[in-house]
Amino acid sequence: QVQLVESGGGLVQAGDSLRLSCAASGRTFSSYVMGWFRQAPGKEREFVAAIRWTAGFTYYADFVKGRFTISRDNAKNTVYLQMNSLKPEDTAVYYCAMGRYRYGSSWSDKSEYDYWGQGTQVTVSS
């Protein structure tokens, strides 16, 4: 019912910037949250940032505050992750996800999300 396609990943040097995009298509929920997660080899998938689509409220993992910004373009059904001051430890596959919004839910929990994109690789060299 919902398809998510990420793009914008690549190979950059430490200190550089990237902007990831996630385009949603199909029949979305009436009220939903879009999130970004990342997973490095041998590690668990971890929360990066999320945005409540209609209200625009944002949520960030502590380790990316001040460097990453999540935003949305309603007309394009697209969510973005602007990543500045990238570090080698940011290297991972970045996944876009969508979940139904429910008040009081923890949107850093990957179990809250119903649909996932295929991921886009971000590699940061030292």
Side-chain angles (χ1 to χ4, degrees):
Q1 290 294 313
V2 176
Q3 296 81 45
L4 304 174
V5 180
E6 304 98 332
S7 62
L11 174 63
V12 298
Q13 294 180 306
D16 285 353
S17 297
L18 279 175
R19 189 180 73 163
L20 306 183
S21 299
C22 175
S25 62
R27 190 175 182 85
T28 61
F29 304 120
S30 59
S31 181
Y32 58 93
V33 170
M34 296 284 287
W36 287 98
F37 290 75
R38 69 186 188 185
Q39 187 167 22
K43 296 184 178 180
E44 295 185 12
R45 191 169 299 187
E46 64 179 351
F47 173 76
V48 177
I51 185 167
R52 184 181 174 186
W53 196 259
T54 301
F57 297 142
T58 57
Y59 313 81
Y60 292 98
D62 288 341
F63 60 85
V64 302
K65 286 184 177 179
R67 296 192 299 128
F68 293 6
T69 302
I70 188 169
S71 62
R72 73 201 194 285
D73 186 327
N74 292 341
K76 297 180 179 180
N77 289 323
T78 299
V79 64
Y80 304 96
L81 184 68
Q82 178 67 46
M83 304 186 294
N84 299 325
S85 302
L86 283 163
K87 305 174 181 179
E89 51 262 45
D90 294 319
T91 295
V93 176
Y94 283 70
Y95 296 91
C96 176
M98 176 187 290
R100 190 189 305 274
Y101 174 74
R102 292 176 289 271
Y103 178 79
S105 297
S106 177
W107 296 105
S108 63
D109 188 343
K110 58 182 179 291
S111 67
E112 298 282 357
Y113 295 85
D114 301 288
Y115 300 98
W116 295 82
Q118 78 288 339
T120 185
Q121 177 71 48
V122 172
T123 303
V124 184
S125 63
S126 60

